[in-house]
Amino acid sequence: MSVWQLVAVGLVMLLGLVGVLLPGVPGQAIVWAAVLWWALTDMTPAAWGVLIGATGLILLNQALKPLLPPRRPGESGAPRRTLMIGGVAGIVGFFVVPVVGGVLGYVGAIFGAERLRLGSRGAAWTSGRSVMRATGYAVLVELFCCLLVAGAWLGAVLWG
């Protein structure tokens, strides 16, 4: 696979990661399709292993989705910008501090955005909990699943 194709697969995967944060965009399907495109073009055992792992992880996430609270962004009282800031920080955090940074970046950025918006620590903590209950857990689990797939792909490309 050429470098330009790898860059294109990476950009499609990034589009899928951002799509997880937007309602109505099938972010997981886009990430999975990028891995499928790469695996069908690369045809190595590592590529097929990543595709099989990605398929299993995304199917597991879809099976567990009904157990998570539904996304209701209007109930949290926080602006949509707060979730977008949290999502972008989660994506960046995942690659800066592998795996753990995704969760820390997401939750920390939501708290930080609410702290700036509301002014006090107590109000930000209360609002952050409300945001996590209304939409945060569902978005965080879906985003983390897609980040694991993207991380596996990146690891296979760099070391495989």
Side-chain angles (χ1 to χ4, degrees):
M1 184 171 237
S2 73
V3 173
W4 293 111
Q5 284 179 319
L6 287 174
V7 169
V9 169
L11 289 174
V12 168
M13 216 170 277
L14 183 62
L15 176 70
L17 290 172
V18 172
V20 169
L21 305 174
L22 302 172
V25 179
Q28 286 184 347
I30 293 171
V31 169
W32 182 82
V35 173
L36 177 67
W37 172 22
W38 170 68
L40 290 175
T41 306
D42 205 9
M43 302 288 258
T44 62
W48 286 104
V50 171
L51 178 63
I52 291 168
T55 303
L57 187 62
I58 288 175
L59 287 175
L60 177 67
N61 185 28
Q62 288 298 316
L64 296 176
K65 205 175 215 178
L67 301 176
L68 295 170
R71 292 184 185 188
R72 293 187 184 128
E75 289 182 9
S76 69
R80 189 133 206 54
R81 181 185 57 167
T82 298
L83 280 175
M84 290 303 292
I85 290 170
V88 170
I91 293 169
V92 171
F94 183 84
F95 293 104
V96 172
V97 180
V99 183
V100 179
V103 176
L104 294 176
Y106 184 80
V107 175
I110 285 176
F111 174 77
E114 288 300 285
R115 171 78 192 245
L116 285 173
R117 184 175 74 92
L118 299 172
S120 73
R121 197 177 119 252
W125 182 255
T126 303
S127 179
R129 281 195 331 247
S130 174
V131 167
M132 290 303 288
R133 279 190 212 113
T135 60
Y137 294 122
V139 172
L140 180 61
V141 169
E142 191 173 335
L143 180 64
F144 192 68
C145 171
C146 289
L147 283 170
L148 287 175
V149 170
W153 170 78
L154 188 61
V157 167
L158 293 177
W159 292 289

